[in-house]
Amino acid sequence: MKRPFLYIVLSFCLLLLPFGQTTANCNDSIRLSLLTCAPGEEIYSLFGHTAIRYENPSQGIDIVFNYGLFSFNTPNFILRFSLGETDYQLGATDYSYFAGEYAFFGRSVWQQTLNLTNKEKVELIRLLQENYHPKNRVYRYNFFYDNCATRPRDKIEESITEKVIYPAEPQDGSHSFRDIIHQYCKGHPWARFGIDLCIGSEADQPITQRQMMFAPFYLMDAFAGAQIKNDSIQRPLAEAAELVVDATPEPDESTWILTPLQCALLLFILTAGATIYGIRRRTGLWGIDLFLFGAAGIVGCVLAFLALFSEHPAVSSNFLLLVFHPGQLLLLPYIIYCDRKKKKCWYLTLNLVVLTLFIALFSLIPQRFDFAVVPLALCLLIRSASNLIVTSKKI
């Protein structure tokens, strides 16, 4: 967790802040705003960020409530993250520090002042203060349904007694969780490839406008057109977005790297060339199978683990388990044995059938895949076919 001393000081000040005094002095000078932050370069910041800013000039308060704090130093962090058991927490920091940090990393910040009554402002402040109490601030993070964007939205809605109406969106099923992920992973092909491997067919189902708000900029757009309705009277939920941190991202100086598709195509070319050589020499080339099926099996173990044990949404029904599954690893000794003894391998025969169907029905499977999967599946397919060809010839 960053800046622990600063958080301790702010925690002490917030908990000592007299709520009655806040209520008594509540007036138009108090401002509560939704902050939307531009994406960063780290994978956990690719989707941007959302926070709530609380300004009370009469008491010298200008702080940001941030539901996106976590620590890589948490015991068993990687395992807990894989299982979907990552705990995030609400933090508070001085706005000047918050804005300075985002400016330093070249990430702009937009502010939408909330059009709340004095009563609603007091209630939202109370909810945030209550949520900031040590026993309440930690929550179980869920990437799609309970994250740093949905939590501020829910608290703001909870503070308003009237109904919040968001602008209507066409219900044409044109958006899915995967669509939004692809939007934010543009320019990061390996992040997109890794996420596409892990999430299954549930991520391709049409989602509602409210579900789209898991992404900070979709939430900002929804707030821009939202209305608070009280009988026949309506008022806008938020004012127009104002750029409060105008930062220019640093130019990307990273060296050029191969994309997943380029790597997959290169691997396919090398595998095809080696397989043709092996068929002509009537040899199994078991070292290639050791690498390919071993790697596919390891990936399959990860996907199976996520599908069976993880609480992450949209990872349970993953059709990529037809290509990458633990059986590739468990039966690897048998595959190598058949290769070396030039015996027909029943598993590779079955694998050939499954992979052929997967590639033939690729466009009909109710899950979108990164196209780099096709050359990878073809590598496994031609190695499976090689066993049948080599063992069917008389030496």
Side-chain angles (χ1 to χ4, degrees), residues 43 55 67 89-90 101 105-106 114 159 165 187 217 251 275 313 327 335 374:
I43 189 169
E55 300 170 81
Y67 281 92
Q89 71 177 55
L90 171 62
E101 182 177 25
F105 287 106
L114 300 174
S159 70
I165 302 175
F217 279 88
T275 300
I335 295 172
V374 174

Side-chain angles (χ1 to χ4, degrees), residues 191-207:
R192 170 175 165 167
F193 177 71
I195 295 173
D196 273 346
L197 277 180
C198 294
I199 58 178
S201 57
E202 296 98 329
D204 296 302
Q205 300 300 316
I207 58 175

Side-chain angles (χ1 to χ4, degrees), residues 63-226:
I63 59 175
V64 175
F65 288 92
N66 174 9
Y67 281 92
L69 299 183
F70 67 94
S71 174
F72 285 116
N73 296 323
T74 303
N76 303 314
F77 177 83
I78 299 298
L79 177 61
R80 290 175 63 86
F81 181 83
S82 300
L83 290 170
E85 298 177 355
T86 310
D87 289 331
Y88 276 47
Q89 71 177 55
L90 171 62
T93 186
D94 184 78
Y95 171 75
S96 61
Y97 200 104
F98 180 89
E101 182 177 25
Y102 276 86
F104 177 79
F105 287 106
R107 299 173 63 183
S108 297
V109 179
W110 289 263
Q111 175 172 295
Q112 292 169 288
T113 300
L114 300 174
N115 186 25
L116 304 178
T117 64
N118 286 343
K119 181 179 179 181
E120 290 166 346
K121 291 177 183 178
V122 170
E123 177 62 10
L124 180 54
I125 294 168
R126 186 192 70 79
L127 289 171
L128 292 171
Q129 288 178 329
E130 179 183 10
N131 210 178
Y132 191 70
H133 194 280
K135 68 178 181 180
N136 299 327
R137 66 180 61 164
V138 176
Y139 71 99
R140 180 57 49 86
Y141 178 83
N142 186 305
F143 179 65
F144 289 141
Y145 299 109
D146 195 355
N147 65 11
C148 69
T150 62
R151 284 259 163 170
R153 177 202 64 192
D154 293 346
K155 290 302 174 184
I156 291 169
E157 290 178 347
E158 192 177 342
S159 70
I160 301 170
T161 55
E162 290 83 13
K163 185 176 182 180
V164 179
I165 302 175
Y166 295 99
E169 286 284 330
Q171 301 298 317
D172 56 0
S174 59
H175 288 83
S176 67
F177 285 126
R178 197 185 304 271
D179 290 326
I180 296 176
I181 287 172
H182 285 181
Q183 290 176 17
Y184 286 95
C185 287
K186 187 177 181 180
H188 298 82
W190 283 101
R192 170 175 165 167
F193 177 71
I195 295 173
D196 273 346
L197 277 180
C198 294
I199 58 178
S201 57
E202 296 98 329
D204 296 302
Q205 300 300 316
I207 58 175
T208 65
Q209 183 201 43
R210 188 169 187 82
Q211 288 174 310
M212 297 177 199
M213 296 181 199
F214 85 95
F217 279 88
Y218 278 83
L219 178 65
M220 183 175 79
D221 291 341
F223 268 45

Side-chain angles (χ1 to χ4, degrees), residues 259-269 371-376 379:
T259 66
L261 180 57
Q262 290 169 336
C263 289
L265 287 172
L266 179 59
L267 180 62
F268 171 70
I269 292 171
F371 196 71
V373 168
V374 174
L376 297 177
C379 288

Side-chain angles (χ1 to χ4, degrees), residues 271-322:
T271 301
T275 300
I276 293 171
Y277 170 81
I279 291 174
R280 288 179 176 178
R281 296 291 300 270
R282 298 178 179 178
T283 181
L285 299 177
W286 62 268
I288 297 176
D289 291 340
L290 177 65
F291 171 74
L292 290 176
F293 288 101
I298 292 172
V299 173
C301 288
V302 174
L303 298 185
F305 176 81
L306 292 175
L308 294 173
F309 303 109
S310 178
E311 295 180 13
H312 280 297
V315 298
S316 57
S317 300
N318 194 336
F319 283 88
L320 280 177
L321 283 167
L322 294 172

Side-chain angles (χ1 to χ4, degrees), residues 9-18 54 61 63 65 92 129 132:
V9 173
L10 279 169
S11 300
F12 182 74
C13 294
L14 281 170
L15 292 174
L16 289 182
L17 185 64
Y54 166 37
I61 297 173
I63 59 175
F65 288 92
Q129 288 178 329
Y132 191 70

